[in-house]
Amino acid sequence: IQAFSLAARDGKVFYQADAKVFCVGLRDGKELWQVPAKAGVSKLIACEDRVLLGSRGTIQAVSADKGKTLWTVKASLAGRGELFVTGGKAWHWEGHNIVGRDLQTGKLVETVETADAFTEGHHLRCYASKATTKFMITPYRGAEFISLTGGANTQNDWVRGPCTYGIIPGNGLLYAPPDPCFFFPRVKLT
């Protein structure tokens, strides 16, 4: 099973193995459908009545019931191939902005400017961005909160997460497990 390609929803499990995406029953493991993966899937998300398959060049939505392609769009999932779903939209990077696509059609419906949340001169940290219902939280200097609801973007240089997993939003809080990070240590909250 390819990393980051396992999801479960409504009694079904979805995953990619080799060059195919599979759907099996959650209780019995019986194969319900399989479809060829157009390219190496870097992100698989089960949401509503569909499964989103994100790769470096495309986002494809397939029916969770039959695996039938609902839509495919060209999209550059920059960086780590990050793709999130919240508020009826699929969110991903497009250049230096975050864009939202309608889950039903794949059409681009929103662009969020991000320049005010970043300080020049730093690189991505060693873990992926996270998303909540209101924010995409990116790992550049610390934790940048990019509003997905039209609010202000904010930057926090002082909190970091550990490699691979990073910070963890949940229960209205931002959890920051201990980390060994030593990049830009003079601003680090310890």
Side-chain angles (χ1 to χ4, degrees):
I1 296 178
Q2 182 169 321
F4 304 111
S5 76
L6 179 64
R9 183 175 180 93
D10 298 331
K12 297 179 181 98
V13 176
F14 309 93
Y15 64 93
Q16 179 185 359
D18 299 320
K20 294 181 181 176
V21 174
F22 294 87
C23 174
V24 298
L26 180 64
R27 293 196 185 278
D28 59 12
K30 179 182 173 191
E31 184 177 306
L32 302 174
W33 54 260
Q34 63 173 275
V35 296
K38 291 191 182 281
V41 172
S42 61
K43 195 67 75 174
L44 183 151
I45 300 173
C47 57
E48 297 182 7
D49 62 345
R50 59 202 61 223
V51 179
L52 298 183
L53 309 172
S55 65
R56 291 278 178 212
T58 63
I59 301 172
Q60 178 183 12
V62 298
S63 161
D65 285 335
K66 305 284 183 194
K68 177 184 172 223
T69 298
L70 302 171
W71 52 262
T72 302
V73 295
K74 287 185 178 183
S76 172
L77 297 184
R80 299 181 175 103
E82 297 173 337
L83 179 64
F84 303 98
V85 173
T86 187
K89 297 176 189 131
W91 296 92
H92 64 91
W93 286 100
E94 193 74 44
H96 293 290
N97 296 318
I98 296 170
V99 296
R101 295 185 177 277
D102 183 273
L103 277 181
Q104 301 305 311
T105 65
K107 289 190 183 348
L108 187 68
V109 293
E110 190 167 349
T111 299
V112 176
E113 299 285 332
T114 64
D116 62 338
F118 299 104
T119 303
E120 290 294 320
H122 208 276
H123 56 82
L124 276 167
R125 297 214 176 269
C126 53
Y127 51 88
S129 299
K130 304 293 190 300
T132 69
T133 57
K134 296 180 181 180
F135 298 99
M136 181 183 241
I137 307 168
T138 62
Y140 281 83
R141 278 198 190 253
E144 297 80 23
F145 290 77
I146 309 300
S147 177
L148 301 176
T149 61
N153 297 334
T154 59
Q155 181 181 17
N156 179 319
D157 288 345
W158 305 280
V159 177
R160 300 178 196 159
C163 295
T164 307
Y165 296 105
I167 48 103
I168 303 165
N171 305 317
L173 300 171
L174 184 64
Y175 296 92
D179 70 88
C181 188
F182 206 70
F183 288 103
F184 201 46
R186 66 182 173 266
V187 301
K188 189 174 169 185
L189 184 64
T190 56

